[in-house]
Amino acid sequence: MTAEAAPGWGALWRTFGRIGLLSFGGPAGQIALMHRTLVDERRWLGEDDYLRALSFCMLLPGPEAMQLATYCGWRLRGLRGGLLAGLLFVLPGALVICLLAFLYAAFAAVGPVAALFWGVKATVAAVVLEALIRVGKRALKGSPERLIALLAFLAIFALALPFPLVLIAAGLIGALALAPSLPQAPTRSASLAETWRVLLPGAFLWGAPLALAWAAGQRFLFEVGLFFSKLALVTFGGAYAVLTYMSQEVVTGKAWLTTAQMMDALGLAETTPGPLILVTEFVAILAGYQEGGPALALAAGLLCLWVTFLPCFLWIFAFAPQIEAITARPRLRGALSGVSAAVVGTIASLALWFALHVFFRDVGLWRAGPLFLPVPTPASADLPALALTLASAWMLIRRHWPLTLVLALGGLLGLLRHGLADL
């Protein structure tokens, strides 16, 4: 798009503000919404440009829909346009999550609220299953991809191997075995000097809050910033891919949250606009609230948002000028195929872990050598939760009902169940 044809700032504000407010339903719905708005309705981007940008964003760590919005803003109005589009995509959901996290910290133990979350969690189990089916159809194109997905599932679920290690291994296998057998086309890209002029100051801004927390002796804030910084580097394939890793760390490793609180966090994130990775903000706020009260909770939430989303802007502004060269590399595309297959296995691990904790009130852990397997207690089975999950899966997968409607129905059924139990 030429400078003369670029949209005005008012149109940019209105368009990306609307996208940010309506970005429910996960990355698939968000990407479809942007395509309809920016390509079909506004005609600000061409079909090929949009699809190339989407392929580029899938190569990057972080939420691809948010990074796609940032790229589109950058393409239309440069760096300021990218900042505006990315912030408008994230901020509505971030504000809602912040409010819900503080309300949850204060009132989650109240009977009706707990009942509401019972219904939401049972519905979210179906949402994760839907995500597994959707991503699997896209990523598992042949037997090699299916094998990588199976190995990733076993590595995460049964062996509790670190998620970053699983991703690295899958990427290496993909680069060696799944690279397209096509010669790399000659492409023109920006100079490395231009890239480093963005990366170096961006890295300084990224790390500055962590250095300040360390210098001020705020060990908890430093740990929060460091953990979510690492998470931002391995969030390939969307938030579902890292939720198992995050759950393991914040529940078992760091003991910031309980398993029930972690599942409630995912349920809340599913009901808000914006990228699902905003679940990290909820986790940080709740952990900070339990560690030191509201002030520390707010500081932890803001720090989490900074270290989670600043890299998203950084990757776009540094590498977008080289988009054609990056998306044309066969080895890189093969590595992406391997990572995408591993993501399917990771989501399958999350789906099973989530289902066990929804359908059973008591889940233990069986260890034998390198194996770490969750084992539910049959007597603690929650059959109404199983029935609600199956009904939600039918509504989402077979009938294609809107996600927000299904979640609302799940919460309503939870409240009704609580009310009937009190009679």
Side-chain angles (χ1 to χ4, degrees):
M1 175 171 290
T2 64
E4 292 77 15
W9 288 106
L12 216 62
W13 269 94
R14 290 189 298 273
T15 300
F16 283 102
R18 176 177 173 271
I19 289 173
L21 290 171
L22 298 178
S23 56
F24 294 91
Q30 294 158 358
I31 290 167
L33 173 64
M34 279 189 282
H35 181 275
R36 184 168 65 249
T37 303
L38 302 177
V39 178
D40 295 337
E41 297 175 1
R42 292 287 190 171
R43 300 188 182 277
W44 287 347
L45 294 172
E47 183 75 26
D48 291 342
D49 292 333
Y50 187 84
L51 293 177
R52 188 183 302 114
L54 176 58
S55 298
F56 165 64
C57 292
M58 289 178 63
L59 291 168
L60 303 174
E64 65 263 32
M66 178 266 177
Q67 292 177 141
L68 181 60
T70 303
Y71 174 86
C72 292
W74 171 84
R75 179 71 182 271
L76 295 170
R77 297 290 302 197
L79 189 144
R80 288 188 298 165
L83 285 173
L84 176 66
L87 288 173
L88 288 175
F89 190 87
V90 170
L91 286 181
L95 291 173
V96 173
I97 285 285
C98 182
L99 175 62
L100 292 177
F102 277 100
L103 291 174
Y104 179 89
F107 302 112
V110 178
V113 176
L116 175 70
F117 278 106
W118 174 87
V120 169
K121 282 187 289 190
T123 304
V124 169
V127 174
V128 178
L129 176 62
E130 183 199 27
L132 173 63
I133 295 172
R134 185 178 64 244
V135 177
K137 287 180 178 178
R138 185 181 67 189
L140 303 184
K141 301 174 182 177
S143 297
E145 289 88 348
R146 296 188 188 97
L147 179 59
I148 293 174
L150 176 61
L151 292 175
F153 170 79
L154 294 174
I156 296 289
F157 188 80
L159 300 176
L161 293 180
F163 177 66
L165 177 63
V166 174
L167 274 192
I168 292 171
L172 289 174
I173 294 172
L176 295 174
L178 301 177
S181 56
L182 297 172
Q184 180 176 334
T187 55
R188 183 174 56 85
S189 63
S191 69
L192 288 178
E194 294 177 33
T195 302
W196 282 109
R197 275 199 292 270
V198 176
L199 286 179
L200 289 178
F204 174 79
L205 289 173
W206 190 7
L210 275 73
L212 290 174
W214 176 267
Q218 294 287 339
R219 180 171 179 176
F220 173 76
L221 286 178
F222 177 77
E223 289 184 1
V224 166
L226 185 62
F227 173 70
F228 289 111
S229 293
K230 290 190 293 184
L231 204 68
L233 292 173
V234 296
T235 312
F236 291 91
Y240 286 113
V242 295
L243 281 173
T244 305
Y245 169 56
M246 183 172 71
S247 300
Q248 290 172 344
E249 287 295 309
V250 302
V251 173
T252 305
K254 301 183 181 296
W256 286 345
L257 272 66
T258 65
T259 299
Q261 288 172 329
M262 186 64 231
M263 293 193 295
D264 289 342
L266 179 57
L268 275 178
E270 289 280 8
T271 65
T272 58
L276 183 59
I277 199 64
L278 282 170
V279 68
T280 58
E281 179 195 9
F282 183 95
V283 170
I285 290 175
L286 192 57
Y289 195 99
Q290 295 172 163
E291 179 75 17
L296 186 62
L298 183 59
L302 291 173
L303 178 59
C304 173
L305 287 175
W306 181 266
V307 299
T308 298
F309 289 104
L310 187 141
C312 298
F313 291 104
L314 186 59
W315 310 143
I316 295 297
F317 298 148
F319 298 115
Q322 305 190 53
I323 182 172
E324 291 186 8
I326 291 173
T327 55
R329 295 180 182 272
R331 292 292 183 191
L332 198 54
R333 297 189 68 83
L336 175 63
S337 296
V339 168
S340 298
V343 163
V344 176
T346 304
I347 298 175
S349 173
L350 173 67
L352 183 53
W353 176 86
F354 203 95
L356 287 174
H357 286 85
V358 169
F359 302 154
F360 297 89
R361 289 180 288 272
D362 183 18
V363 180
L365 186 64
W366 179 75
R367 298 186 180 187
L371 295 178
F372 296 83
L373 294 175
V375 180
T377 302
S380 68
D382 189 344
L383 295 182
L386 173 60
L388 178 53
T389 297
L390 292 176
S392 300
W394 177 81
M395 288 184 281
L396 286 169
I397 299 170
R398 299 292 297 176
R399 307 302 300 173
H400 305 293
W401 287 19
L403 173 61
T404 50
L405 175 59
V406 178
L407 285 168
L409 288 174
L412 178 60
L413 288 174
L415 291 173
L416 290 175
R417 179 175 182 258
H418 172 76
L420 291 174
D422 289 343
L423 294 178

